[in-house]
PDB file of all heavy atoms in Angstrom:
ATOM      1  N   ARG P   1     108.642 106.643 108.326  1.00  0.00           N
ATOM      2  CA  ARG P   1     108.047 107.950 108.041  1.00  0.00           C
ATOM      3  C   ARG P   1     108.228 108.289 106.564  1.00  0.00           C
ATOM      4  O   ARG P   1     109.107 107.725 105.891  1.00  0.00           O
ATOM      5  CB  ARG P   1     108.704 109.043 108.892  1.00  0.00           C
ATOM      6  CG  ARG P   1     108.694 108.770 110.404  1.00  0.00           C
ATOM      7  CD  ARG P   1     109.467 109.841 111.147  1.00  0.00           C
ATOM      8  NE  ARG P   1     109.626 109.527 112.560  1.00  0.00           N
ATOM      9  CZ  ARG P   1     108.762 109.823 113.508  1.00  0.00           C
ATOM     10  NH1 ARG P   1     107.643 110.466 113.176  1.00  0.00           N
ATOM     11  NH2 ARG P   1     108.986 109.522 114.772  1.00  0.00           N
ATOM     12  N   PRO P   2     107.409 109.215 106.012  1.00  0.00           N
ATOM     13  CA  PRO P   2     107.629 109.672 104.640  1.00  0.00           C
ATOM     14  C   PRO P   2     109.032 110.292 104.536  1.00  0.00           C
ATOM     15  O   PRO P   2     109.515 110.869 105.523  1.00  0.00           O
ATOM     16  CB  PRO P   2     106.542 110.729 104.438  1.00  0.00           C
ATOM     17  CG  PRO P   2     105.501 110.401 105.457  1.00  0.00           C
ATOM     18  CD  PRO P   2     106.240 109.847 106.631  1.00  0.00           C
ATOM     19  N   PRO P   3     109.716 110.133 103.392  1.00  0.00           N
ATOM     20  CA  PRO P   3     109.215 109.628 102.110  1.00  0.00           C
ATOM     21  C   PRO P   3     109.330 108.122 101.933  1.00  0.00           C
ATOM     22  O   PRO P   3     109.294 107.640 100.799  1.00  0.00           O
ATOM     23  CB  PRO P   3     110.123 110.354 101.110  1.00  0.00           C
ATOM     24  CG  PRO P   3     111.427 110.451 101.825  1.00  0.00           C
ATOM     25  CD  PRO P   3     111.078 110.675 103.266  1.00  0.00           C
ATOM     26  N   PHE P   4     109.498 107.354 103.017  1.00  0.00           N
ATOM     27  CA  PHE P   4     109.546 105.906 102.899  1.00  0.00           C
ATOM     28  C   PHE P   4     108.127 105.353 102.922  1.00  0.00           C
ATOM     29  O   PHE P   4     107.241 105.908 103.571  1.00  0.00           O
ATOM     30  CB  PHE P   4     110.357 105.306 104.043  1.00  0.00           C
ATOM     31  CG  PHE P   4     111.789 105.762 104.069  1.00  0.00           C
ATOM     32  CD1 PHE P   4     112.167 106.804 104.900  1.00  0.00           C
ATOM     33  CD2 PHE P   4     112.739 105.181 103.260  1.00  0.00           C
ATOM     34  CE1 PHE P   4     113.483 107.249 104.940  1.00  0.00           C
ATOM     35  CE2 PHE P   4     114.052 105.606 103.289  1.00  0.00           C
ATOM     36  CZ  PHE P   4     114.424 106.645 104.119  1.00  0.00           C
ATOM     37  N   GLY P   5     107.907 104.242 102.237  1.00  0.00           N
ATOM     38  CA  GLY P   5     106.589 103.623 102.229  1.00  0.00           C
ATOM     39  C   GLY P   5     106.349 102.850 100.956  1.00  0.00           C
ATOM     40  O   GLY P   5     107.239 102.692 100.110  1.00  0.00           O
ATOM     41  N   THR P   6     105.121 102.385 100.802  1.00  0.00           N
ATOM     42  CA  THR P   6     104.760 101.572  99.636  1.00  0.00           C
ATOM     43  C   THR P   6     103.959 102.358  98.604  1.00  0.00           C
ATOM     44  O   THR P   6     103.647 101.836  97.535  1.00  0.00           O
ATOM     45  CB  THR P   6     103.933 100.348 100.089  1.00  0.00           C
ATOM     46  OG1 THR P   6     102.778 100.803 100.815  1.00  0.00           O
ATOM     47  CG2 THR P   6     104.774  99.449 100.993  1.00  0.00           C
ATOM     48  N   GLU P   7     103.621 103.610  98.941  1.00  0.00           N
ATOM     49  CA  GLU P   7     102.839 104.407  98.001  1.00  0.00           C
ATOM     50  C   GLU P   7     103.698 104.800  96.796  1.00  0.00           C
ATOM     51  O   GLU P   7     104.926 104.824  96.863  1.00  0.00           O
ATOM     52  CB  GLU P   7     102.306 105.660  98.690  1.00  0.00           C
ATOM     53  CG  GLU P   7     101.369 105.363  99.857  1.00  0.00           C
ATOM     54  CD  GLU P   7     100.904 106.639 100.536  1.00  0.00           C
ATOM     55  OE1 GLU P   7     101.284 107.729 100.062  1.00  0.00           O
ATOM     56  OE2 GLU P   7     100.178 106.544 101.533  1.00  0.00           O
ATOM     57  N   GLU P   8     103.020 105.133  95.708  1.00  0.00           N
ATOM     58  CA  GLU P   8     103.723 105.504  94.488  1.00  0.00           C
ATOM     59  C   GLU P   8     104.567 106.760  94.734  1.00  0.00           C
ATOM     60  O   GLU P   8     104.119 107.737  95.306  1.00  0.00           O
ATOM     61  CB  GLU P   8     102.711 105.772  93.366  1.00  0.00           C
ATOM     62  CG  GLU P   8     103.374 106.043  92.023  1.00  0.00           C
ATOM     63  CD  GLU P   8     102.364 106.234  90.915  1.00  0.00           C
ATOM     64  OE1 GLU P   8     101.161 106.013  91.172  1.00  0.00           O
ATOM     65  OE2 GLU P   8     102.770 106.612  89.804  1.00  0.00           O
ATOM     66  N   GLY P   9     105.821 106.692  94.304  1.00  0.00           N
ATOM     67  CA  GLY P   9     106.725 107.816  94.493  1.00  0.00           C
ATOM     68  C   GLY P   9     107.511 107.780  95.788  1.00  0.00           C
ATOM     69  O   GLY P   9     108.442 108.561  95.977  1.00  0.00           O
ATOM     70  N   SER P  10     107.141 106.873  96.698  1.00  0.00           N
ATOM     71  CA  SER P  10     107.852 106.765  97.968  1.00  0.00           C
ATOM     72  C   SER P  10     109.102 105.913  97.799  1.00  0.00           C
ATOM     73  O   SER P  10     109.231 105.130  96.850  1.00  0.00           O
ATOM     74  CB  SER P  10     106.958 106.141  99.037  1.00  0.00           C
ATOM     75  OG  SER P  10     105.829 106.955  99.285  1.00  0.00           O
ATOM     76  N   LEU P  11     110.036 106.051  98.717  1.00  0.00           N
ATOM     77  CA  LEU P  11     111.245 105.239  98.692  1.00  0.00           C
ATOM     78  C   LEU P  11     110.921 103.831  99.191  1.00  0.00           C
ATOM     79  O   LEU P  11     110.381 103.678 100.286  1.00  0.00           O
ATOM     80  CB  LEU P  11     112.321 105.868  99.574  1.00  0.00           C
ATOM     81  CG  LEU P  11     112.975 107.149  99.032  1.00  0.00           C
ATOM     82  CD1 LEU P  11     113.851 107.778 100.095  1.00  0.00           C
ATOM     83  CD2 LEU P  11     113.789 106.858  97.782  1.00  0.00           C
ATOM     84  N   PRO P  12     111.250 102.806  98.429  1.00  0.00           N
ATOM     85  CA  PRO P  12     110.879 101.430  98.804  1.00  0.00           C
ATOM     86  C   PRO P  12     111.863 100.795  99.777  1.00  0.00           C
ATOM     87  O   PRO P  12     112.369  99.699  99.558  1.00  0.00           O
ATOM     88  CB  PRO P  12     110.896 100.715  97.452  1.00  0.00           C
ATOM     89  CG  PRO P  12     111.969 101.406  96.682  1.00  0.00           C
ATOM     90  CD  PRO P  12     111.915 102.854  97.110  1.00  0.00           C
ATOM     91  N   TYR P  13     112.150 101.477 100.865  1.00  0.00           N
ATOM     92  CA  TYR P  13     113.068 100.941 101.866  1.00  0.00           C
ATOM     93  C   TYR P  13     112.359 100.935 103.208  1.00  0.00           C
ATOM     94  O   TYR P  13     111.596 101.832 103.523  1.00  0.00           O
ATOM     95  CB  TYR P  13     114.339 101.785 101.960  1.00  0.00           C
ATOM     96  CG  TYR P  13     115.072 101.939 100.645  1.00  0.00           C
ATOM     97  CD1 TYR P  13     114.987 103.122  99.908  1.00  0.00           C
ATOM     98  CD2 TYR P  13     115.844 100.902 100.139  1.00  0.00           C
ATOM     99  CE1 TYR P  13     115.662 103.272  98.704  1.00  0.00           C
ATOM    100  CE2 TYR P  13     116.522 101.038  98.929  1.00  0.00           C
ATOM    101  CZ  TYR P  13     116.421 102.226  98.216  1.00  0.00           C
ATOM    102  OH  TYR P  13     117.073 102.349  97.031  1.00  0.00           O
ATOM    103  N   SER P  14     112.662  99.926 104.013  1.00  0.00           N
ATOM    104  CA  SER P  14     111.999  99.826 105.313  1.00  0.00           C
ATOM    105  C   SER P  14     112.953  99.493 106.453  1.00  0.00           C
ATOM    106  O   SER P  14     112.540  99.462 107.604  1.00  0.00           O
ATOM    107  CB  SER P  14     110.898  98.762 105.262  1.00  0.00           C
ATOM    108  OG  SER P  14     111.453  97.491 104.920  1.00  0.00           O
ATOM    109  N   LYS P  15     114.228  99.256 106.133  1.00  0.00           N
ATOM    110  CA  LYS P  15     115.185  98.900 107.175  1.00  0.00           C
ATOM    111  C   LYS P  15     116.599  99.295 106.741  1.00  0.00           C
ATOM    112  O   LYS P  15     116.889  99.389 105.544  1.00  0.00           O
ATOM    113  CB  LYS P  15     115.124  97.404 107.485  1.00  0.00           C
ATOM    114  CG  LYS P  15     115.212  96.508 106.263  1.00  0.00           C
ATOM    115  CD  LYS P  15     114.941  95.060 106.630  1.00  0.00           C
ATOM    116  CE  LYS P  15     114.965  94.170 105.381  1.00  0.00           C
ATOM    117  NZ  LYS P  15     114.683  92.765 105.717  1.00  0.00           N
ATOM    118  N   PRO P  16     117.489  99.512 107.697  1.00  0.00           N
ATOM    119  CA  PRO P  16     118.835  99.995 107.384  1.00  0.00           C
ATOM    120  C   PRO P  16     119.658  99.060 106.507  1.00  0.00           C
ATOM    121  O   PRO P  16     120.540  99.520 105.792  1.00  0.00           O
ATOM    122  CB  PRO P  16     119.473 100.148 108.775  1.00  0.00           C
ATOM    123  CG  PRO P  16     118.336 100.335 109.709  1.00  0.00           C
ATOM    124  CD  PRO P  16     117.229  99.506 109.151  1.00  0.00           C
ATOM    125  N   THR P  17     119.401  97.747 106.548  1.00  0.00           N
ATOM    126  CA  THR P  17     120.201  96.827 105.735  1.00  0.00           C
ATOM    127  C   THR P  17     120.017  97.099 104.248  1.00  0.00           C
ATOM    128  O   THR P  17     120.854  96.699 103.436  1.00  0.00           O
ATOM    129  CB  THR P  17     119.822  95.370 106.027  1.00  0.00           C
ATOM    130  OG1 THR P  17     118.407  95.200 105.855  1.00  0.00           O
ATOM    131  CG2 THR P  17     120.193  94.981 107.450  1.00  0.00           C
ATOM    132  N   GLN P  18     118.941  97.788 103.891  1.00  0.00           N
ATOM    133  CA  GLN P  18     118.708  98.099 102.486  1.00  0.00           C
ATOM    134  C   GLN P  18     119.568  99.262 102.000  1.00  0.00           C
ATOM    135  O   GLN P  18     119.488  99.651 100.834  1.00  0.00           O
ATOM    136  CB  GLN P  18     117.221  98.400 102.262  1.00  0.00           C
ATOM    137  CG  GLN P  18     116.335  97.172 102.449  1.00  0.00           C
ATOM    138  CD  GLN P  18     114.854  97.505 102.382  1.00  0.00           C
ATOM    139  OE1 GLN P  18     114.411  98.512 102.932  1.00  0.00           O
ATOM    140  NE2 GLN P  18     114.091  96.644 101.729  1.00  0.00           N
ATOM    141  N   LEU P  19     120.397  99.814 102.914  1.00  0.00           N
ATOM    142  CA  LEU P  19     121.391 100.791 102.478  1.00  0.00           C
ATOM    143  C   LEU P  19     122.417 100.115 101.570  1.00  0.00           C
ATOM    144  O   LEU P  19     123.095 100.775 100.787  1.00  0.00           O
ATOM    145  CB  LEU P  19     122.106 101.409 103.685  1.00  0.00           C
ATOM    146  CG  LEU P  19     121.260 102.255 104.643  1.00  0.00           C
ATOM    147  CD1 LEU P  19     122.076 102.617 105.866  1.00  0.00           C
ATOM    148  CD2 LEU P  19     120.751 103.495 103.954  1.00  0.00           C
ATOM    149  N   PHE P  20     122.535  98.786 101.690  1.00  0.00           N
ATOM    150  CA  PHE P  20     123.486  98.022 100.906  1.00  0.00           C
ATOM    151  C   PHE P  20     122.756  97.302  99.769  1.00  0.00           C
ATOM    152  O   PHE P  20     121.535  97.131  99.808  1.00  0.00           O
ATOM    153  CB  PHE P  20     124.193  96.982 101.782  1.00  0.00           C
ATOM    154  CG  PHE P  20     124.778  97.547 103.041  1.00  0.00           C
ATOM    155  CD1 PHE P  20     124.037  97.569 104.218  1.00  0.00           C
ATOM    156  CD2 PHE P  20     126.062  98.065 103.057  1.00  0.00           C
ATOM    157  CE1 PHE P  20     124.573  98.086 105.384  1.00  0.00           C
ATOM    158  CE2 PHE P  20     126.602  98.588 104.218  1.00  0.00           C
ATOM    159  CZ  PHE P  20     125.867  98.601 105.385  1.00  0.00           C
ATOM    160  N   THR P  21     123.518  96.873  98.770  1.00  0.00           N
ATOM    161  CA  THR P  21     122.934  96.009  97.749  1.00  0.00           C
ATOM    162  C   THR P  21     122.674  94.640  98.381  1.00  0.00           C
ATOM    163  O   THR P  21     123.325  94.261  99.357  1.00  0.00           O
ATOM    164  CB  THR P  21     123.891  95.849  96.555  1.00  0.00           C
ATOM    165  OG1 THR P  21     125.104  95.253  97.025  1.00  0.00           O
ATOM    166  CG2 THR P  21     124.203  97.197  95.922  1.00  0.00           C
ATOM    167  N   PRO P  22     121.706  93.847  97.852  1.00  0.00           N
ATOM    168  CA  PRO P  22     121.421  92.534  98.447  1.00  0.00           C
ATOM    169  C   PRO P  22     122.661  91.647  98.540  1.00  0.00           C
ATOM    170  O   PRO P  22     122.905  91.016  99.573  1.00  0.00           O
ATOM    171  CB  PRO P  22     120.372  91.944  97.498  1.00  0.00           C
ATOM    172  CG  PRO P  22     119.685  93.138  96.916  1.00  0.00           C
ATOM    173  CD  PRO P  22     120.768  94.177  96.761  1.00  0.00           C
ATOM    174  N   LEU P  23     123.464  91.593  97.475  1.00  0.00           N
ATOM    175  CA  LEU P  23     124.676  90.775  97.501  1.00  0.00           C
ATOM    176  C   LEU P  23     125.674  91.329  98.501  1.00  0.00           C
ATOM    177  O   LEU P  23     126.317  90.590  99.249  1.00  0.00           O
ATOM    178  CB  LEU P  23     125.302  90.717  96.103  1.00  0.00           C
ATOM    179  CG  LEU P  23     126.626  89.934  95.995  1.00  0.00           C
ATOM    180  CD1 LEU P  23     126.414  88.487  96.419  1.00  0.00           C
ATOM    181  CD2 LEU P  23     127.176  90.018  94.571  1.00  0.00           C
ATOM    182  N   GLY P  24     125.786  92.674  98.527  1.00  0.00           N
ATOM    183  CA  GLY P  24     126.721  93.305  99.452  1.00  0.00           C
ATOM    184  C   GLY P  24     126.385  92.991 100.895  1.00  0.00           C
ATOM    185  O   GLY P  24     127.273  92.644 101.689  1.00  0.00           O
ATOM    186  N   TRP P  25     125.107  93.082 101.267  1.00  0.00           N
ATOM    187  CA  TRP P  25     124.734  92.801 102.644  1.00  0.00           C
ATOM    188  C   TRP P  25     124.915  91.325 102.979  1.00  0.00           C
ATOM    189  O   TRP P  25     125.298  90.981 104.092  1.00  0.00           O
ATOM    190  CB  TRP P  25     123.300  93.224 102.928  1.00  0.00           C
ATOM    191  CG  TRP P  25     122.872  92.846 104.323  1.00  0.00           C
ATOM    192  CD1 TRP P  25     121.928  91.948 104.695  1.00  0.00           C
ATOM    193  CD2 TRP P  25     123.438  93.329 105.536  1.00  0.00           C
ATOM    194  NE1 TRP P  25     121.861  91.846 106.056  1.00  0.00           N
ATOM    195  CE2 TRP P  25     122.784  92.693 106.601  1.00  0.00           C
ATOM    196  CE3 TRP P  25     124.445  94.253 105.829  1.00  0.00           C
ATOM    197  CZ2 TRP P  25     123.091  92.936 107.932  1.00  0.00           C
ATOM    198  CZ3 TRP P  25     124.758  94.504 107.150  1.00  0.00           C
ATOM    199  CH2 TRP P  25     124.074  93.849 108.192  1.00  0.00           C
TER     200      TRP P  25
END
């Protein structure tokens, strides 16, 4: 749901694992 998504200004997250940094996860 907004504000997540691929549109300009949206948050570029789509799953909970992105709460972490890539190395951290």
